Amino acid sequence: AHRSCAAYNTLTEQKITVRFSSKMLSRMPRNCTGSIGLMLLMLISLDVALCAGDASDRVQVVLYGEALCPYCARFTTQVVAPLLTEEGGLAGIFNFSYIAWGNAIRTVDGVVCQHGELECQLNKVISCVQDLFSSQDHWFPYIECLEKAPEDGLRRAAKCATKTKLNGTAIAECAAGDRGDELDKASEAATRKLDPPHTYVPWVVVDGIPIGANYEALRSVICAAFKGDRPDGCKQVPSDVAIKAFPFGASRWEGTPRSLPHAVS
């Protein structure tokens, strides 16, 4: 069965503790303990290599959305969040990123957002927190917190920074400064490059393939797309549901049609 790197590391440490307790090491000659130290170093190096390979096999999930969009907030807090936090979930097999631009447009007078200026500000906040804190484990709880009450605006952003123990000042300065503008332009460019173009938000792309109205069945799509041993979180998904969510099947993920137009019932 598939295990995340954290679980694998824990198991490895347990094995080392059992096999080489401190009492056992104290009874051995120094040259022997030195050899064991070298062997442990090799084990750790192997563990790191295995984890690096594990990370490269992860399914890539990208949300193209916008702040103050109730459907984007629902997707983030009720669809993605449980997959990242539940025990035996999918956190170890997919990466999530949020491209915050959505239906905004750029005019000669500046950026016009669908839900007004507050959305424009919060889009930059969403981009900045991902830019400042590269670990998904750090920035996602912040975005989840923000999306639960985005209408509270920048005051909510500050509260979420405190709650998740992130540097709220750095986030605010990024969003209000040149870096925020740069990230906003990058989000715009990424959204414009979508093929096919997005027609609504949330627009969810899994390993480069837009999944259309199937975004609420994200668990099924990730499990179908993942090529490794599936975690316990995928056992909740019957194979026929996974196939319905992604009718081509995991083994045919590459070279398949570019979209999934039909929703999962």
Side-chain angles (χ1 to χ4, degrees):
H2 174 83
R3 296 189 180 96
S4 67
C5 286
Y8 184 84
N9 287 336
T10 299
L11 288 172
T12 303
E13 289 167 3
Q14 289 173 349
K15 290 177 182 178
I16 291 172
T17 302
V18 171
R19 293 178 182 175
F20 305 106
S21 68
S22 59
K23 288 183 179 180
M24 291 172 66
L25 290 172
S26 65
R27 295 173 184 172
M28 295 180 181
R30 290 184 180 180
N31 60 340
C32 182
T33 55
S35 298
I36 291 176
L38 178 59
M39 182 169 65
L40 293 182
L41 181 60
M42 292 173 65
L43 284 172
I44 292 170
S45 299
L46 176 60
D47 187 32
V48 171
L50 288 172
C51 285
D54 180 62
S56 67
D57 292 335
R58 291 187 179 192
V59 177
Q60 303 300 315
V61 178
V62 183
L63 165 62
Y64 292 83
E66 59 193 24
L68 300 184
C69 162
Y71 303 103
C72 298
R74 173 185 170 86
F75 175 75
T76 304
T77 60
Q78 298 184 30
V79 178
V80 178
L83 301 184
L84 291 174
T85 58
E86 68 185 16
E87 185 176 352
L90 311 187
I93 69 169
F94 82 100
N95 291 326
F96 176 71
S97 57
Y98 190 156
I99 306 298
W101 179 262
N103 296 319
I105 58 173
R106 188 177 298 275
T107 70
V108 293
D109 298 320
V111 177
V112 178
C113 293
Q114 184 174 359
H115 301 93
E117 179 58 28
L118 179 57
E119 178 200 312
C120 288
Q121 294 174 341
L122 293 179
N123 281 346
K124 292 182 181 180
V125 167
I126 291 171
S127 297
C128 281
V129 72
Q130 294 175 83
D131 182 60
L132 289 168
F133 308 97
S134 58
S135 172
Q136 179 175 283
D137 293 338
H138 291 154
W139 63 256
F140 183 81
Y142 175 91
I143 289 183
E144 180 187 8
C145 173
L146 183 66
E147 289 282 63
K148 288 181 177 179
E151 64 279 359
D152 291 344
L154 299 180
R155 182 170 53 185
R156 176 71 178 183
K159 288 182 178 179
C160 289
T162 300
K163 180 179 179 180
T164 57
K165 299 180 180 180
L166 297 184
N167 189 332
T169 300
I171 296 171
E173 290 178 349
C174 171
D178 292 340
R179 183 57 178 164
D181 291 337
E182 292 173 1
L183 294 172
D184 212 34
K185 290 177 180 178
S187 295
E188 176 188 11
T191 303
R192 287 182 177 276
K193 289 180 180 178
L194 283 170
D195 180 22
H198 81 287
T199 54
Y200 51 81
V201 290
W203 188 259
V204 182
V205 176
V206 178
D207 278 354
I209 299 175
I211 63 174
N214 291 284
Y215 64 82
E216 291 197 357
L218 183 63
R219 179 192 301 273
S220 299
V221 178
I222 291 174
C223 291
F226 186 59
K227 298 175 182 178
D229 295 329
R230 296 177 181 176
D232 291 342
C234 286
K235 294 179 180 178
Q236 302 176 27
V237 182
S239 59
D240 59 336
V241 175
I243 291 172
K244 188 176 182 182
F246 190 72
F248 332 115
S251 63
R252 296 178 57 196
W253 183 262
E254 296 182 358
T256 56
R258 292 303 303 271
S259 64
L260 296 175
H262 304 297
V264 175
S265 59

